Amino acid sequence: MDELRVSTEYPYPIYCARDFDGLGAALVKAGLKGRRACVVSDANVADIYLNALLGQLEPVAELSHIEFAPGESSKNLDTIAEFYRFFIERRLDRQAVVIALGGGVTGDMAGFAAATYMRGVAYVQVPTSLLAQVDSSVGGKTGVDFTGHKNIVGAFYQPALVYINVNTLKTLPAREFSSGMGEVIKHGLIGGADYFRFIRERRGSIRALEEDALAEMVLGSCAIKAGVVSRDEKEFGPRAILNFGHTFGHAIESLSGFRLPHGHCVALGMCAALHICAGQAGIDKDQVFELLTYFGLPVNLGGCADFSACDVYNQMTMDKKNSGGAINAVMLRALGEAYVERGLAQAVILDALARIGVGT
């Protein structure tokens, strides 16, 4: 791959590289040189990448960093309060920069802290997981979980830039890479036949973590998401299609106590949705299920969940995308043509859940 690729189709640049060597220059180009900067990372990612990142940033910023315990269980207001206290101790002012180094949990929390500290300071996304690179780092959604509800407290707040080092994917556990592929395949289903075909044709190179294939995949996903978000930043209309699989998936994720990775839950959610719409959409759902399985994603819970279909249905009623008490979910009319099905019937939902192995 080229040393550095840059997408400027979105209001902020998305850099795709094989290392962190261009990060300092990217901050300078964004007008962020000379500011106080705080790197936010979980302890696992910090052990691997923090020193390399600090080495690139020290010439251009006055640095500090804060770490937190890895995992979704840290994604709460108590952790955000720790960030605020640290920012105050380090005298971060309105010109400060918050730099999110890590996966989706880190990006969501660091972005929310940046959005709300001093009514908003600049922040930069440096995503190191596939899920963060292709999904959560693009679009400006930030937030935390609250009382068991995923991302129910948050804000729309755009980063100054996104800097992706695709080689960080080589240190990801296989399960986390699979989780990110759930969102990649989702983009293929809602984004059109060309990207879906690319994923299928290059799946061997992608699974082998070849740089060129990873860069093309990551930038392709970013382009699809950025294209949707640019038309609807705050999810009042077209952006809702990015939630394909999420209404079912978020409910399963919450009921699992976040033990199931996000992308695995999205995969299950997409399977449930495809059981409803694939026939009318003319989509070969078995082909989709095969691709999901190839990348280690579940297509059926096999009746082993410790929650019922009724539990999932009740959790789905809490989804932020609902309106007027009715459950709304994204469906497909065809490959690349997604829409919101409003008022999905309870019987239809329970039947789809049964088909993915959620017992009654």
Side-chain angles (χ1 to χ4, degrees):
M1 65 177 284
D2 297 334
E3 286 295 323
L4 186 68
R5 300 185 189 180
V6 187
S7 173
T8 56
E9 298 171 0
Y10 202 50
Y12 49 81
I14 300 170
Y15 296 85
C16 188
R18 64 176 71 190
D19 50 39
F20 293 119
D21 290 357
L23 180 57
L27 261 69
V28 172
K29 191 169 184 179
L32 302 176
K33 182 178 180 180
R35 303 191 187 194
R36 290 178 178 168
C38 180
V39 179
V40 176
S41 182
D42 73 48
N44 288 346
V45 173
D47 284 345
I48 304 171
Y49 295 117
L50 181 62
N51 287 337
L53 197 80
L54 296 179
Q56 294 300 319
L57 294 176
E58 281 171 353
V60 300
E62 183 181 331
L63 293 172
S64 60
H65 70 273
I66 183 171
E67 299 173 18
F68 63 93
E72 189 82 22
S73 61
S74 289
K75 192 177 173 183
N76 55 56
L77 292 172
D78 290 337
T79 308
I80 296 296
E82 292 177 17
F83 293 172
Y84 293 152
R85 283 190 285 269
F86 186 82
F87 295 167
I88 292 168
E89 289 170 3
R90 294 307 175 104
R91 298 185 179 276
L92 268 63
D93 57 20
R94 292 288 300 276
Q95 298 302 307
V97 185
V98 175
I99 299 172
L101 172 67
V105 169
T106 300
D108 283 358
M109 290 200 300
F112 181 66
T116 50
Y117 180 71
M118 291 195 173
R119 297 194 176 99
V121 298
Y123 87 107
V124 169
Q125 287 270 16
V126 186
T128 59
S129 73
L130 180 57
L131 187 61
Q133 289 179 2
V134 301
D135 184 54
S136 59
S137 68
V138 178
K141 280 188 176 181
T142 72
V144 296
D145 306 330
F146 187 70
T147 63
H149 300 295
K150 187 175 175 67
N151 295 329
I152 204 164
V153 176
F156 290 95
Y157 195 65
Q158 303 292 351
L161 63 96
V162 177
Y163 190 97
I164 297 167
N165 171 4
V166 295
N167 277 316
T168 62
L169 301 179
K170 295 180 179 179
T171 62
L172 272 187
R175 194 178 192 220
E176 293 303 311
F177 186 82
S178 292
S179 182
M181 287 306 302
E183 291 288 351
V184 170
I185 293 168
K186 179 203 75 177
H187 288 144
L189 292 170
I190 69 170
D194 288 345
Y195 187 64
F196 186 73
R197 187 182 307 113
F198 158 77
I199 299 166
R200 294 191 68 242
E201 291 177 352
R202 299 294 302 277
R203 58 185 175 180
S205 298
I206 292 167
R207 196 164 72 174
L209 304 180
E210 295 178 9
E211 284 182 1
D212 283 334
L214 291 177
E216 189 172 350
M217 178 185 74
V218 168
L219 285 176
S221 265
C222 288
I224 288 169
K225 181 163 186 181
V228 173
V229 172
S230 63
R231 301 194 302 271
D232 179 25
E233 180 181 344
K234 296 191 175 179
E235 204 171 52
F236 291 122
R239 182 171 179 159
I241 68 170
L242 294 169
N243 292 307
F244 181 59
H246 285 60
T247 301
F248 289 94
H250 275 172
I252 293 169
E253 188 174 9
S254 294
L255 289 168
S256 77
F258 302 108
R259 291 186 300 274
L260 286 173
H262 174 74
H264 291 59
C265 296
V266 169
L268 288 165
M270 289 192 293
C271 291
L274 286 169
H275 280 303
I276 296 171
C277 69
Q280 291 181 332
I283 294 172
D284 183 347
K285 65 183 179 184
D286 290 333
Q287 186 183 80
V288 179
F289 296 169
E290 178 192 14
L291 189 61
L292 291 167
T293 302
Y294 179 83
F295 284 108
L297 291 159
V299 298
N300 193 293
L301 275 172
C304 63
D306 57 0
F307 48 82
S308 69
C310 288
D311 293 331
V312 177
Y313 176 83
N314 290 334
Q315 186 69 29
M316 288 171 69
T317 65
M318 296 294 297
D319 193 277
K320 300 186 294 295
K321 298 175 289 298
N322 295 335
S323 58
I327 292 178
N328 303 327
V330 179
M331 298 289 158
L332 300 175
R333 291 193 179 94
L335 191 63
E337 189 177 341
Y339 72 100
V340 177
E341 180 74 37
R342 303 192 180 279
L344 207 58
Q346 181 177 7
V348 171
I349 292 172
L350 293 177
D351 178 68
L353 290 168
R355 289 171 179 269
I356 63 166
V358 182
T360 54

